[in-house]
Amino acid sequence: MSMGEGLWVAGHQIHRLRQGWGPELVAAFTDEMLRAQHVSAATVYGEGAGDDTWVQYSLEGPGRVVSQRLSLLGYNRAATISFLNELLRADRLAWGIPSFLKAERQRQEVERTLLESSTAEDWIAAIAAGPDGQSPQVPGGFAWFLGLVDDTEPGFALQAVLMALPDAEVMFILDADDPDLLGENSELNTMCVNALAQIHEASAAHAPVIVLTEGSSDVAILEPALALLYPHLTDLVRFMDYANNARGGAGSLVTTIRAFAAAGVANPVIALFDNDTAATDALRPLALAVRGESCAAQHGGGLDAGLGRRPLDQWLPVQTMRSAKPPR
């Protein structure tokens, strides 16, 4: 059986990836799953393709591992069930003009009836039952149900199949290339970690800015000030909530910053300290220990010396930790 570019589960091609793929699909795998093997042109393209030899690159791993990674990337069970139900509904609405051929028209009627009565759970059960020898053109068969997810969002298509076949092996065939490149393609060797970094960068770019302060009184001043001066930005900025008895003070704020930095929080973070000796002492070791493009500490004279004299858009994106007063 020839196996060309696309997603394969338990030896079945579930998606041909004709529209390409995004970093979310690549990040469902790890760089350790990369495989490179010599294959003949006939293996990739079928008989009659010639005697050329190619290198086939693929990402291969256990279905349960890939499924768990997909879940943490947003393709969880609830979202996948919703995807399948919407897919079945869309296919039902897109049902075309009846054929003039009687046999084809009868097949279309059966297909329409199946689509109207099928749910996500029915689709999963049909795939879990395994191949039945039926042609993809036969409504209700394994191949017919599987064909419904081809040309859909590949991450959801893969997760849907893995919900039905959790113990299956997954193969993401990427490309075929010159044999001289076997094992030497450094870009492919790190493609999964690079894809994950790309996702995190995109998440950070769209995540709300978090403003941390020493206490609730700071929030009581800054939050209304933001609403007054920049009402169009209020839904993009989040202030620390002290309603849950969060500890205040410079020391607690430093602890929070360290925790955010250690956890790799994607949101841009601005920490505002009071202009006093306690803040100076707390910031001294922090400025050396925490650096990053998404986190900044401001040690200044409050609203007038800080946000009140510096437009908010000049604070973003924050580039490094800062412990000096902002320029006037």
Side-chain angles (χ1 to χ4, degrees):
M1 178 179 62
S2 63
M3 299 182 73
E5 184 177 272
L7 286 173
W8 297 74
V9 177
H12 306 289
Q13 188 173 32
I14 70 165
H15 205 296
R16 286 171 285 184
L17 300 174
R18 290 183 291 192
Q19 304 301 319
W21 58 83
E24 295 82 5
L25 180 61
V26 178
F29 299 81
T30 65
D31 291 326
E32 293 73 23
M33 295 178 180
L34 180 64
R35 304 288 182 269
Q37 59 180 327
H38 288 282
V39 295
S40 66
T43 300
V44 178
Y45 302 108
E47 295 183 7
D51 299 326
D52 292 339
T53 299
W54 299 86
V55 174
Q56 179 175 275
Y57 294 98
S58 61
L59 293 166
E60 303 176 21
R64 290 190 182 276
V65 172
V66 175
S67 177
Q68 289 170 5
R69 291 181 65 85
L70 281 169
S71 292
L72 294 183
L73 289 167
Y75 302 97
N76 55 47
R77 180 178 181 84
T80 304
I81 291 293
S82 178
F83 157 79
L84 284 173
N85 282 325
E86 181 60 29
L87 173 65
L88 293 168
R89 177 179 177 275
D91 279 347
R92 182 166 66 247
L93 294 176
W95 188 73
I97 300 174
S99 171
F100 291 107
L101 299 176
K102 182 178 180 180
E104 178 63 15
R105 189 166 63 249
Q106 290 176 338
R107 187 193 68 81
Q108 289 179 338
E109 288 292 346
V110 173
E111 187 174 83
R112 184 178 185 178
T113 301
L114 273 171
L115 288 170
E116 289 177 344
S117 61
S118 295
T119 65
E121 288 74 14
D122 296 325
W123 187 96
I124 292 171
I127 301 304
D132 51 13
Q134 299 278 13
S135 162
Q137 300 300 315
V138 178
F142 172 87
W144 180 82
F145 272 111
L146 193 61
L148 295 179
V149 299
D150 192 16
D151 281 340
T152 63
E153 210 290 329
F156 278 122
L158 178 55
Q159 184 69 293
V161 175
L162 291 176
M163 287 168 60
L165 305 171
D167 296 316
E169 288 292 310
V170 179
M171 179 182 293
F172 175 9
I173 298 180
L174 303 164
D175 203 355
D177 215 332
D178 190 289
D180 293 337
L181 297 178
L182 181 61
E184 299 179 3
N185 196 322
S186 59
E187 183 178 347
L188 284 175
N189 289 336
T190 58
M191 66 180 303
C192 296
V193 68
N194 291 340
L196 191 57
Q198 184 178 345
I199 293 172
H200 289 165
E201 289 173 6
S203 298
H206 300 287
V209 177
I210 297 176
V211 178
L212 304 176
T213 65
E214 287 195 30
S216 58
S217 60
D218 299 313
V219 176
I221 295 172
L222 293 173
E223 196 164 22
L226 177 67
L228 178 64
L229 299 173
Y230 304 96
H232 54 289
L233 299 180
T234 54
D235 57 340
L236 299 176
V237 179
R238 298 287 185 271
F239 288 89
M240 190 168 181
D241 185 3
Y242 284 91
N244 295 319
N245 297 319
R247 293 183 61 185
S252 296
L253 183 50
V254 166
T255 300
T256 301
I257 294 173
R258 287 181 180 274
F260 275 36
V265 173
N267 304 63
V269 178
I270 297 174
L272 298 175
F273 288 80
D274 292 343
N275 189 21
D276 55 23
T277 56
T280 300
D281 293 339
L283 276 169
R284 190 173 292 114
L286 181 66
L288 297 176
V290 181
R291 297 276 177 179
E293 294 186 354
S294 64
C295 190
Q298 175 59 38
H299 180 204
L303 183 62
D304 180 65
L307 299 183
R309 293 200 177 208
R310 188 175 186 186
L312 182 60
D313 57 2
Q314 291 184 19
W315 285 83
L316 308 173
V318 177
Q319 296 301 319
T320 59
M321 294 296 299
R322 293 192 292 268
S323 60
K325 293 181 180 179
R328 292 179 180 268

